[in-house]
Amino acid sequence: MNRADAPDRIFGVRHAPYACDPAHSRGRLHGEPECTTRTVFQRDRDRIVHSTAFRRMKHKTQVFVSHEGDHYRTRLTHSLEVSNIARSVGRCLGLNEELAETLALAHDLGHTPFGHAGENALNDCMADYGGFDHNAQTLRILTRLERKYAEFDGLNLTWETLEGVVKHNSPLVGPVAGQAAAPAAHPVPEPIADYVAQHDLELDTWPGLEAQIAALADDIAYNNHDLDDGLRAGLFTVEEVRRVGFVDEAFREVLDRYPDLEAPRLNHEANRRLISLMVDDLLAETRRRLADYRPGNPDAVRRRGRATAAFSETMAANDRTLKDFLYENMYAHPKVRRETDGARGVVRSLFGLFIGRPDTLPPSWRRRAEAGGEARRARVIADYIAGMTDRFALNEHDRLIAAER
């Protein structure tokens, strides 16, 4: 059955004109027969969920190192929360929910063990070899490092999925390149530049609306679950976080209704109200922009020259204020700093060992590392370390570094 002729009962939903239409996808780098029971974006989602990198996220933490406790978020649970928000917002806006979900599930695949501390350490180690960027690493995983299929490396995902992964925050080049862009000396991370030389992802345009929504769903999810995890860990108190204005409004609303509510229920009730506030604001502002601009197709969203999905100015300021609070009271907390300093040391030690002694790598990785010059060896080692879970990195450090002493 041809995809274009597939009955609505299988592929089913009428989308807004600015939504990415799976029937008109720009396709895959490697041609292959499409599935008769799933759209191209559903198939992308399924390939991501069945990937090795996706499974590894269950043991990669957001802020806390894995041994801290079973109830803190991991990269996997965070990605599931992001996908939940992205799908809900996408449905309300008439977007392609499957693509929004796919991008949410994929967006953190390239993260190292130990969160941003591990990424910063690996970027330092790779300073002479093109650097390390978790977004670029996600692209490497999706296009090269997953090796399951007989006819190609990677997962051979659609153009729309790869575009959304690479530039979900903003264009990577041009006058409006935003936080996704690397420093001016290296405007595009090397792995992304290498890939787009053969498969143009149009780095100077905004991504489709599903990708913009997934990026903002990421903000909503990690702000609120880091708030929840920080309270659970005792890094700050309810009284302290209530100094953030719109957070105080949520807690006050709960306490006015339930004055004697116990702490875990209080925190959850306030947290879910905060998520709703941010989602409602995102929907209202994005609808306002859509009404003003009236894009007739997904490419009109890409060519607009500014974001179509956004928070209002008030909520954007609230978002920044909450981020500042979390940075000062959670990410920079002495307890977290001690852990992250140790984590950086683990990554640096492993990189130093492998670059000097590639024979200590597993055989398949050693063969890849020895197949080229020093820059290739460094990139292969970065791939290997980035794929580690927190637990595996700690165990390998103890085993290998102790053996070198």
Side-chain angles (χ1 to χ4, degrees), residues 78-237:
H78 164 67
S79 297
L80 294 172
E81 292 179 7
V82 176
S83 72
N84 178 272
I85 295 170
R87 277 197 73 111
S88 297
V89 173
R91 181 183 300 115
C92 291
L93 295 173
L95 301 178
N96 188 286
E97 295 175 44
E98 286 79 19
L99 179 57
E101 178 186 29
T102 298
L103 294 167
L105 293 173
H107 82 282
D108 269 356
L109 290 175
H111 269 289
T112 65
F114 315 125
H116 289 289
E119 178 177 6
N120 292 339
L122 196 51
N123 186 45
D124 290 343
C125 293
M126 289 290 293
D128 295 331
Y129 310 106
F132 180 88
D133 173 88
H134 78 266
N135 207 43
Q137 190 67 14
T138 297
L139 182 67
R140 279 181 67 77
I141 289 168
L142 296 177
T143 59
R144 297 188 62 173
L145 299 181
E146 286 285 331
R147 299 185 175 190
K148 299 177 181 294
Y149 295 91
E151 297 186 0
F152 47 80
D153 289 339
L155 302 182
N156 197 31
L157 305 181
T158 60
W159 185 92
E160 290 80 6
T161 294
L162 295 178
E163 178 219 24
V165 164
V166 164
K167 57 181 184 179
H168 57 274
N169 287 312
S170 71
L172 269 65
V173 297
V176 295
Q179 60 181 341
H186 303 284
V188 177
E190 185 177 275
I192 296 177
D194 289 345
Y195 183 79
V196 298
Q198 61 170 330
H199 193 195
D200 186 10
L201 299 178
E202 300 179 3
L203 301 184
D204 60 338
T205 67
W206 286 85
L209 198 50
E210 288 85 355
Q212 295 183 38
I213 290 299
L216 290 162
D218 184 26
D219 274 3
I220 294 170
Y222 78 68
N223 270 354
N224 285 285
H225 68 49
D226 282 358
L227 179 62
D228 183 40
D229 282 351
L231 287 168
R232 180 189 297 275
L235 299 181
F236 47 82
T237 65

